[in-house]
Amino acid sequence: TRANDASTCTIFLDDIATIGISLEESYLSFAMHQMELLNRVSGSRGGVRRMLDLDLIDIEMQRVFLTDYCEQNPDREFIDAVNLLYMEYPEAK
């Protein structure tokens, strides 16, 4: 049922296919906020922070990355795609 798998890649793909650009923008906004949170948590623990710069990986590249991951891994969680995207950004010096 949808309630049990609402965070899977399949739901992400279904949502952007049926609801379109407005929901896709919401997913991308969620992804960016999640990556900013990962940066804060990592930094506060003395870990590596990433350069979350849209000049490095712009919104279109993020959309393609997340969509490609989910198409290849439909049973995985959308957050897994976000975490991998986060790792694509270079480490902050």
Side-chain angles (χ1 to χ4, degrees):
T1 63
R2 186 178 175 96
N4 293 336
D5 63 2
S7 61
T8 66
C9 277
T10 299
I11 295 301
F12 163 70
L13 295 171
D14 288 349
D15 283 351
I16 63 172
T18 58
I19 300 172
I21 193 72
S22 63
L23 193 60
E24 186 174 58
E25 289 172 356
S26 295
Y27 274 103
L28 291 171
S29 177
F30 166 81
M32 198 67 206
H33 288 295
Q34 185 64 30
M35 290 187 291
E36 289 167 353
L37 176 63
L38 288 169
N39 240 6
R40 282 196 300 274
V41 169
S42 183
S44 71
R45 294 181 178 165
V48 172
R49 292 176 55 93
R50 305 242 167 228
M51 293 173 47
L52 300 178
D53 186 339
L54 293 179
D55 288 335
L56 299 172
I57 303 176
D58 65 25
I59 295 295
E60 179 62 16
M61 292 167 68
Q62 291 180 27
R63 184 189 65 75
V64 169
F65 184 97
L66 296 169
T67 302
D68 286 352
Y69 176 88
C70 282
E71 286 174 347
Q72 295 170 23
N73 303 281
D75 295 331
R76 298 294 304 266
E77 296 293 313
F78 178 71
I79 195 67
D80 295 336
V82 173
N83 290 338
L84 282 175
L85 175 60
Y86 174 73
M87 297 305 289
E88 292 294 309
Y89 282 93
E91 292 182 10
K93 301 291 181 208

